[in-house]
Amino acid sequence: MDNRAGEMDVFIRVAELKSFSEAGRKLHLSPSAVSKLVPRIEDRLSTRLIVRSTRGLQLTPEGEIYLARARRVLDEIDDAERTVASGGKVVPRGRLRVNAPIAFGIKYVQPLIPAFLERFPEVELDFSLTDGIIDLLEERADIAIRSGPLPDSSLKARKLIESHRILVASPDYVAKHGQPAHPDDLANHNCLRFNFPLPLNEWAFRTPGAQDRLTRTVSGNFMCDNGPSMRRMCLLGMGIARLGHFHIQDDIAAGHLVEILPDWAPKDEQLIHAIFAGHEHLATRIRAFIDFLTDHIDPMGNGVRIPA
């Protein structure tokens, strides 16, 4: 009999554990049975899914695709059985992997997690924070929250907030080094930068009263890989930083940071989306989490509404 669902389950365990023997122990199968099953899948698909390397077993690009689809198929089978068993009511359950930028995740997502898990107790939330750009398949994330232009891909997205980036510095820094009057003046200032690809360190401007746009590549003596560290260094008076308004709006309101070159601000939108792999039958836990975020995060970035 065709038991592709069972084969998918074994393949998922091998991919997650990066070991035939470990997968066999988890599934109460012999290592030889597991090691024979994967080549059988590869023969049927006429493509290599797993390769051995010095780091152990690694998925090929085709293996990553098969892994994502296998998880989805098993999720649908599980959802179908639970729906029938519960009289037609679909209950979100299973592991949900969510990745978010550090500042956004701390300010907007973490405060909502307790209420979400209380409402959906059968979901196991695997939550990680990083400001780097991730690949959903490579990181095995169900949902990635990211800002900026959406990639041209098969991924789907739901908008969470609208914001924009602004230049800021502490009052102490401005008092000591002066307020720049033109983007060219930034060459004489310490500009705090992200150690990401160059575009994040090319700051955009718009000529006051006109639509002319210009960019300036900035430099300084400090770089980091995340928004909270950048904000902290800016608050300590180290220099000028370019940060999302949603991240530092409270600091500006409290007078801890001041906007730099406000008349030159390009006013570009910084849209933040929840990105996920599109599929006709989206797992209920993914849909439930995205709906929960959009229901409780203010779309203009003015905080969250914690459910009672």
Side-chain angles (χ1 to χ4, degrees):
M1 294 180 64
D2 190 343
N3 187 27
R4 278 182 280 185
E7 291 180 347
M8 288 178 177
D9 190 27
V10 174
F11 180 83
I12 290 171
R13 295 299 183 98
V14 171
E16 291 179 342
L17 297 171
K18 298 185 183 300
S19 167
F20 291 128
S21 58
E22 286 296 322
R25 276 193 284 270
K26 292 286 186 181
L27 296 168
H28 305 292
L29 297 172
S30 68
S32 61
V34 175
S35 62
K36 291 177 182 176
L37 183 144
V38 172
R40 187 160 67 243
I41 300 174
E42 293 176 327
D43 289 344
R44 186 172 68 244
L45 300 179
S46 299
T47 189
R48 179 67 67 86
L49 300 178
I50 291 178
V51 295
R52 294 181 183 273
S53 73
T54 55
R55 295 183 295 169
L57 302 179
Q58 300 294 320
L59 295 181
T60 65
E62 292 77 16
E64 295 283 2
I65 294 171
Y66 186 79
L67 175 64
R69 297 296 178 89
R71 283 179 172 147
R72 201 173 299 153
V73 167
L74 295 187
D75 284 344
E76 290 180 16
I77 292 173
D78 194 45
D79 281 348
E81 292 184 347
R82 292 184 63 82
T83 300
V84 173
S86 61
K89 182 180 178 181
V90 179
V91 178
R93 68 179 300 272
R95 178 174 293 186
L96 176 65
R97 298 171 176 85
V98 178
N99 185 286
I102 298 172
F104 186 90
I106 291 173
K107 184 171 183 178
Y108 294 94
V109 181
Q110 281 187 344
L112 295 174
I113 289 176
F116 175 80
L117 293 178
E118 183 176 358
R119 182 174 299 183
F120 303 110
E122 295 189 54
V123 173
E124 178 188 358
L125 186 58
D126 183 343
F127 183 56
S128 59
L129 296 170
T130 176
D131 281 348
I133 298 172
I134 72 158
D135 183 296
L136 258 68
L137 292 179
E138 184 175 332
E139 296 295 326
R140 297 169 187 169
D142 298 303
I143 301 169
I145 298 172
R146 285 295 175 268
S147 64
L150 294 175
D152 183 15
S153 70
S154 61
L155 300 177
K156 304 297 182 182
R158 287 270 296 277
K159 186 175 71 175
L160 298 178
I161 70 168
E162 296 180 13
S163 186
H164 56 278
R165 291 188 177 92
I166 60 175
L167 302 189
V168 291
S170 71
D172 288 344
Y173 178 87
V174 174
K176 185 180 296 185
H177 300 280
Q179 173 83 264
H182 187 280
D184 289 342
D185 296 338
L186 293 174
N188 301 316
H189 285 267
N190 197 41
C191 296
L192 312 180
R193 299 164 294 151
F194 288 100
N195 53 15
F196 296 144
L198 183 61
L200 284 181
N201 298 317
E202 288 184 344
W203 293 355
F205 301 93
R206 180 170 296 176
T207 306
Q211 297 300 311
D212 298 333
R213 294 176 63 89
L214 62 150
T215 61
R216 293 292 182 269
T217 300
V218 298
S219 62
N221 64 3
F222 177 78
M223 292 186 292
C224 68
D225 65 354
N226 66 86
S229 292
M230 183 68 75
R231 168 184 170 269
R232 183 62 181 163
M233 294 300 102
C234 197
L235 287 168
L236 291 173
M238 283 194 62
I240 299 173
R242 184 171 180 257
L243 292 164
H245 183 261
F246 75 87
H247 186 187
I248 40 80
Q249 58 187 340
D250 294 340
D251 297 318
I252 294 175
H256 299 148
L257 293 175
V258 296
E259 188 171 359
I260 303 297
L261 297 171
D263 294 338
W264 289 83
K267 303 300 183 186
D268 291 340
E269 283 187 327
Q270 181 190 17
L271 301 182
I272 297 180
H273 295 85
I275 303 170
F276 54 98
H279 192 262
E280 181 181 357
H281 303 292
L282 189 64
T284 54
R285 63 182 178 275
I286 298 176
R287 181 178 288 109
F289 190 75
I290 294 173
D291 288 345
F292 199 83
L293 293 182
T294 56
D295 287 345
H296 297 96
I297 295 177
D298 179 81
M300 301 309 297
N302 297 315
V304 299
R305 178 177 59 83
I306 307 296

